[in-house]
C-alpha cells in the first residue's frame, strides 16, 4: 500500500481510482503523469486547477514513498 496524505487519497479516488490499487509508486506516478498530460493544462500551456492538484498528489506520492 502506498503512503499518502488524505488530500492525495481524495484526489486519486475522485480522478484516478485505479491508482489506488497499485503497489509500486512508480506505476501510480506514471498514471498521474498521463492524467496531467490529458487534463491538467490550460490553453496557454500552464497548469489549470486540476493540474495543480494532480501535481501536488504526484509530489506527495513521490516524497512519501521512497
Amino acid at each position: 500500500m502506498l503512503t499518502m496524505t488524505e488530500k492525495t487519497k481524495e484526489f486519486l479516488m475522485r480522478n484516478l481510482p485505479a491508482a489506488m490499487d497499485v503497489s509500486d509508486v512508480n506505476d501510480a506516478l506514471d498514471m498521474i503523469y498521463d492524467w496531467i498530460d490529458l487534463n491538467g493544462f490550460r490553453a496557454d500551456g500552464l497548469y489549470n486547477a486540476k493540474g495543480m492538484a494532480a501535481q501536488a498528489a504526484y509530489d506527495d506520492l513521490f516524497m512519501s514513498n521512497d
Side-chain angles (χ1 to χ4, degrees), residues 13-49:
M13 291 187 64
R14 189 172 42 254
N15 297 288
L16 278 168
M20 297 295 296
D21 296 330
V22 301
S23 58
D24 184 344
V25 68
N26 291 313
D27 292 337
L29 294 174
D30 287 344
M31 294 171 82
I32 296 171
Y33 179 88
D34 292 342
W35 190 93
I36 291 171
D37 197 36
L38 293 173
N39 304 292
F41 293 100
R42 302 184 317 211
D44 62 5
L46 299 175
Y47 281 143
N48 58 25

